[in-house]
Amino acid sequence: MDIKAMFRFSYGLYVLTAQENGFDNGCIVNTAIQVTDTPNKITVTVNKANKTCEMIHATGQFNVCMLSENAPFDVFKNFGFQSGKTVDKFADFTQKARSENGLYYITDYANAYVSGKVIQEVDVDTHIMFIAEVPAAVLLSDIPSVTY
């Protein structure tokens, strides 16, 4: 098997947010997918070692913020290169607002966000796949989504 073939998948980049016991957190993920449109459902797959994964498992809700091409590297650094287990990632991050579910979403560097209410979890070894209903989806801008 040529493992390089696996790198031909294209991915979006997202900030996945959650809140538990008054603590807000978020992490960078690349595995958020719409799976049905009637009813509207999505999946998000998160590394089990992430604080955000623990929080979603405990609360059953999250927001997926679709990062746009104008997102600076500092957004990726803040949400992807440090752990919510040791850092409050939202403490100095000002480009945020609360959605109807009470969770943060990224305002300036996302073109949309989708709220998820978990209906099922699937253990996929190192990660948890959360299958969720979509109670809210909001378009924020027309700036194209960032991909890699």
Side-chain angles (χ1 to χ4, degrees), residues 56-108:
I56 295 169
H57 174 73
T59 65
Q61 64 176 357
F62 59 83
N63 284 343
V64 178
C65 308
M66 288 68 165
L67 291 174
S68 51
E69 289 179 345
N70 68 334
F73 185 68
D74 282 347
V75 172
F76 298 95
K77 246 172 57 174
N78 186 59
F79 293 102
F81 294 122
Q82 53 187 354
S83 173
K85 293 177 180 179
T86 58
V87 173
D88 181 348
K89 297 180 186 183
F90 281 105
D92 297 322
F93 191 83
T94 59
Q95 297 82 19
K96 63 190 177 193
R98 296 240 183 240
S99 61
E100 288 182 20
N101 63 4
L103 305 180
Y104 277 136
Y105 66 92
I106 306 303
T107 56
D108 295 7

Side-chain angles (χ1 to χ4, degrees), residues 13 21 25-26 33 40-41 52 58-60 65-66 68 83 88 102 108 110-111 116 118 131 140 144:
L13 290 170
N21 299 322
N25 195 42
I33 303 166
N40 210 337
K41 293 183 183 174
T52 307
T59 65
C65 308
M66 288 68 165
S68 51
S83 173
D88 181 348
D108 295 7
N111 57 26
V118 176
I131 302 169
L140 299 172

Side-chain angles (χ1 to χ4, degrees), residues 4 20 24 26 37 43 47 56 72 76 83 87 119 131 143 148:
K4 292 180 196 170
E20 183 183 17
D24 293 285
D37 68 352
T43 64
N47 191 303
I56 295 169
F76 298 95
S83 173
V87 173
I119 58 172
I131 302 169
I143 300 171
Y148 81 95

